[in-house]
Amino acid sequence: MKLTDKEILDFVKENITIVKDMTGHIVIKEVLCSIIGDVGGHVYGNVGGNVYGDVDGDVCGHVGGDVAGDVCGHVGGDVAGDVCGDVCGDVRGNVVWDVYGKVLGKVHG
């Protein structure tokens, strides 16, 4: 079923905040709905739910749910749920629950 232009515009107005950054580029500031698909850029903020897929960079903010994929960078923020994949960089915060895989580096805490 094809969406009308009005339906698309109403959805964007209700769920997405679009602004210009300091350099004049148009950026998405806030998304109030789920994203079913890939994000080709960075997320500079918190994720209030789960991440179902790999993170090809660092996690520097708060993830309110699980990360159900590999993190190919550092974890510098909080993950309120489980990380169900590999972390290919440092974990710069606390691990509150169990580690079911190997730790191939040092534990400094």
Side-chain angles (χ1 to χ4, degrees):
M1 179 185 213
K2 187 174 178 180
L3 296 172
T4 66
D5 289 345
K6 182 182 180 333
E7 289 173 318
I8 293 169
L9 186 57
D10 287 346
F11 178 82
V12 169
K13 286 180 179 179
E14 292 174 13
N15 293 288
I16 299 173
T17 304
I18 300 171
V19 298
K20 285 189 179 182
D21 66 9
M22 296 178 78
T23 62
H25 293 94
I26 296 174
V27 296
I28 296 174
K29 183 176 179 182
E30 184 176 44
V31 177
L32 301 175
C33 61
S34 297
I35 297 173
I36 312 284
D38 299 333
V39 176
H42 303 291
V43 176
Y44 294 106
N46 298 326
V47 177
N50 299 319
V51 177
Y52 294 111
D54 296 338
V55 177
D56 291 328
D58 300 336
V59 176
C60 299
H62 181 75
V63 177
D66 299 334
V67 177
D70 296 339
V71 177
C72 300
H74 303 294
V75 177
D78 299 330
V79 177
D82 298 329
V83 177
C84 301
D86 299 332
V87 177
C88 302
D90 297 333
V91 176
R92 299 179 187 266
N94 298 321
V95 177
V96 178
W97 295 106
D98 299 329
V99 176
Y100 290 104
K102 296 178 182 177
V103 176
L104 302 177
K106 298 177 181 175
V107 178
H108 295 281

